[in-house]
Amino acid sequence: MNFTGLDIIIPVLVVLVLLFLFAGIKTVPQGSNWTVERFGRYTRSLSPGLNLILPFIDRIGAKMNMMEQVLDVPTQEVITRDNAIVAVDGVAFYQVLNAAQAAYQVAGLENAILNLTMTNIRSVMGSMDLDELLSNRDAINERLLRIVDEAASPWGIKVTRVEIKDINPPANLVDSMARQMMAERNKRAQILEAEGLKQAQVLEAEGRKEAAFRDAEARERAAEAEARATQVVSEAIAAGDVQAINYFVAQKYTEALARIGSATNSKVVLLPVEASALIGSLGGIGAIAKEVFGGESPTQNTRGANRPPLVPPGQG
């Protein structure tokens, strides 16, 4: 079989067209953007999906990952404002928002973000004291995020988070902080104990004060009652009632004998009075009872004889 020139040209043209089409068709995966360069100059960005470019004229420049990415910040030493040396590491999250800026505004995007973050960690944490550094981690993260995001925004990226993972002071400094914390806790315990003792003493003093006040009040009322009884007896004597004084003397006499007889160190009791005086006083008490109740006194019922009025002891 003889082939003409046309039979050879047609298949070659078909192959060239197919190669041209395959070279111009680009499929961009999800989460990525590709930049297109024409004769070395950026023209546009390709979004995820099927895209067409001019073969042999346009070419793919940079393939940028548009998903949020994490960047590990290595451990570095930071000198605080009070000259304490601490080892600090962290992590940063960022996302590319503009593929062209991320590809052509900075060389080595991840290295640039890493060095920017490390520099600002030393700057921010170096301006703080150690105690403030350990207790204000959230404030440090917020400040770092604001500074790093503002510095990286011309690169077409968004820094979403900067976190400090570990802050490790030297071992001797940790021991000093532990001793300081223990001393502070012991101080608080002593203060609380002293305040409790003070409160107990105050309450005890108030209790003694209240008891003394009530004792004084009781003695005052007893004295008033005694004075009132003496006044009543005096009024009765002034009115000519001799039985009142007999009753008053007999009561005091009997109480005195009872106190003498109940003494623990008394073996023999000597009464420097006549027995008839005590009996006469008891008879006076019986006479008063007869006058009050309108009947015979218990003494009269017992002995069956009337006795003369009582007189003070020693005058009988």
Side-chain angles (χ1 to χ4, degrees), residues 110-129:
E110 288 189 359
N111 187 48
I113 298 174
L114 179 61
N115 283 275
L116 179 64
T117 304
M118 294 177 64
T119 302
N120 283 280
I121 286 176
R122 289 194 298 268
S123 176
V124 171
M125 301 182 71
S127 63
M128 304 171 68
D129 294 333

Side-chain angles (χ1 to χ4, degrees), residues 20 23-26 36-38 44 52-59:
F20 186 83
I25 297 175
K26 301 296 180 182
V36 177
E37 298 175 355
R38 179 171 296 175
R44 61 193 176 95
L52 297 176
I53 64 173
L54 294 177
F56 312 111
I57 298 177
D58 296 337
R59 71 180 185 90

